[in-house]
Amino acid sequence: GDSVTQMEGPVTLSEEAFLTINCTYTATGYPSLFWYVQYPGEGLQLLLKATKADDKGSNKGFEATYRKETTSFHLEKGSVQVSDSAVYFCALTEGGGTSYGKLTFGQGTILTVHP
Amino acid sequence: EPEVTQTPSHQVTQMGQEVILRCVPISNHLYFYWYRQILGQKVEFLVSFYNNEISEKSEIFDDQFSVERPDGSNFTLKIRSTKLEDSAMYFCASSRQGARETQYFGPGTRLLVL
């Protein structure tokens, strides 16, 4: 079945540091890929997504590129802020056919940014 | 901006009791989902619901679980006889279409079974 693997956390960075959170996936078909973020006390919010190979999703300074050859969707940000402290989830959905949009999630990565 | 809401935010119940978790999806959305996250583990898919019937369910979603859209706005998850291992955060989500569309999540209900 489908699966998503994220880098182990937690990740602790200083403000303005460069962020990378690795995500790799296994899928039988041609999935769409997502990054969701969960701020303390809130639900999951879509951060960015990509639906086909070589697409780059971007939002709020975060980027991730759909790499079919390496089955990866790594999240990056050039300069993190304290307000980026949250839990980040990589996810996929197969889409189409008999799929009704079931999301398969990675285990989540806790990011803490210090001033 | 429209959002998915869930009630209650926290629920404590005794093992063997029935619980109903409630969700109000975004009004023009057609697909509805329940997920759960046991503390320290992944977010797991439970069930998807479209056109007033279950469209897909996971192995977790056994006979103890049921979902319903009793009116035009609410979407509920019922656990008939709770077990200790049902303790988790339960998230509702909705999307305009299924498949590759973005799912919008509620803030979750934290269920504790004693």
Side-chain angles (χ1 to χ4, degrees):
Chain A
D2 298 344
S3 67
V4 177
T5 301
Q6 287 181 235
M7 68 184 287
E8 292 290 326
V11 174
T12 302
L13 295 173
S14 298
E15 207 165 25
E16 299 183 3
F18 184 83
L19 169 71
T20 300
I21 301 177
N22 290 336
C23 171
T24 57
Y25 67 89
T26 303
T28 53
Y30 201 152
S32 291
L33 303 174
F34 304 83
W35 277 100
Y36 278 85
V37 59
Q38 185 178 29
Y39 298 104
E42 300 184 16
L44 299 165
Q45 302 175 22
L46 179 69
L47 181 59
L48 52 84
K49 71 178 185 182
T51 59
K52 61 182 188 292
D54 300 325
D55 266 2
K56 179 187 283 188
S58 61
N59 186 25
K60 299 181 182 178
F62 291 89
E63 293 183 340
T65 301
Y66 190 142
R67 300 286 187 202
K68 192 170 187 291
E69 64 275 15
T70 55
T71 61
S72 64
F73 192 54
H74 303 322
L75 182 69
E76 296 182 336
K77 187 175 186 182
S79 176
V80 292
Q81 305 300 312
V82 172
S83 57
D84 294 326
S85 298
V87 184
Y88 292 81
F89 294 91
C90 186
L92 68 80
T93 181
E94 286 279 9
T98 57
S99 171
Y100 290 86
K102 163 191 165 184
L103 282 167
T104 299
F105 284 89
Q107 65 266 42
T109 301
I110 300 172
L111 171 66
T112 303
V113 181
H114 292 299
Chain B
E1 183 178 321
E3 59 183 18
V4 176
T5 59
Q6 289 184 243
T7 54
S9 57
H10 294 80
Q11 177 135 15
V12 181
T13 190
Q14 296 292 323
M15 191 169 53
Q17 294 296 304
E18 175 184 286
V19 295
I20 298 176
L21 310 183
R22 291 183 168 79
C23 168
V24 178
I26 294 173
S27 62
N28 63 345
H29 285 189
L30 302 177
Y31 290 80
F32 313 112
Y33 307 86
W34 283 102
Y35 295 84
R36 79 171 186 191
Q37 185 180 30
I38 295 172
L39 191 63
Q41 298 186 24
K42 293 187 179 186
V43 177
E44 302 172 291
F45 168 78
L46 292 178
V47 65
S48 60
F49 190 86
Y50 169 71
N51 200 26
N52 279 319
E53 61 183 23
I54 291 173
S55 46
E56 190 175 3
K57 62 182 181 180
S58 72
E59 293 175 353
I60 302 167
F61 195 88
D62 61 21
D63 292 343
Q64 292 299 313
F65 291 89
S66 63
V67 289
E68 192 178 28
R69 189 155 162 83
D71 52 42
S73 59
N74 289 283
F75 179 52
T76 62
L77 174 70
K78 181 192 289 186
I79 309 174
R80 288 192 184 80
S81 178
T82 50
K83 306 182 184 69
L84 297 176
E85 55 264 36
D86 294 328
S87 296
M89 180 73 93
Y90 289 80
F91 293 106
C92 174
S94 69
S95 67
R96 280 190 305 132
Q97 302 290 338
R100 298 175 184 271
E101 282 279 320
T102 298
Q103 293 179 30
Y104 295 84
F105 282 77
T109 294
R110 184 166 295 283
L111 176 66
L112 177 61
V113 182
L114 301 177

